[in-house]
Structure formats: C-alpha cells, structure tokens
Amino acid sequence: MSDEKIKLRVTSTGQALDVVVFSKRPEVITVVLGEGVHSVRCSLTPTRNGLAYAGSAMGREIVYERSQAQVRADIERLDPRLKDPRRR
C-alpha cells in the first residue's frame, strides 16, 4: 500500500513541499510533514472562498492549491463507495 502524497506551498518562501496525507475529507485534510520522530501533523482547512486549503505548521503558513470540489472529486475517484454512505 502506497501513501498518498500531495504538493503544498509555503507562502513565506514560495517553496514547494511533498507531504504525506494522513486523512482526507472535504472539510479538512490532515498531512504529515517530515519523517520519523520529528514529523509534524498539520490540519488544512478550506479558505473562505473554498478555492484552496490553508494551515499552519511550525509558524509557517502552508497552502494546498485545490478547491473543495476538486478534493471531493479526488476522494470519490479513489473510493466510489464513499459517494453515498447510506446506500448498500
């Protein structure tokens, strides 16, 4: 099983980071920065206009530049059973 990785941008430096996704829902994306003992979890929440996800880790603002609709489509594409949880 391979870990899902996404690319984030650090707003202060413009640097791009590849991070591992811990959990992904349209309301919040939890990512893990770093590896091993020094790893840090960060929660990314949608911005007011819903066009990106933003969060803060170690005093730096990080941004995932995908909209809520795009993330929802990614989740449904990866596991179509999650589209309608009441249906069996």
Side-chain angles (χ1 to χ4, degrees), residues 35-64:
E35 294 180 3
V37 191
H38 302 290
S39 63
V40 175
R41 277 194 201 169
C42 176
S43 295
L44 305 172
T45 56
T47 57
R48 287 185 180 189
N49 60 7
L51 296 178
Y53 285 79
S56 178
M58 298 179 291
R60 306 275 192 259
E61 184 181 18
I62 54 177
V63 176
Y64 181 48

Side-chain angles (χ1 to χ4, degrees), residues 18 34 36 55 61-62 74 82 84:
D18 284 329
E61 184 181 18
I62 54 177
D74 290 345
L82 296 176
D84 190 8

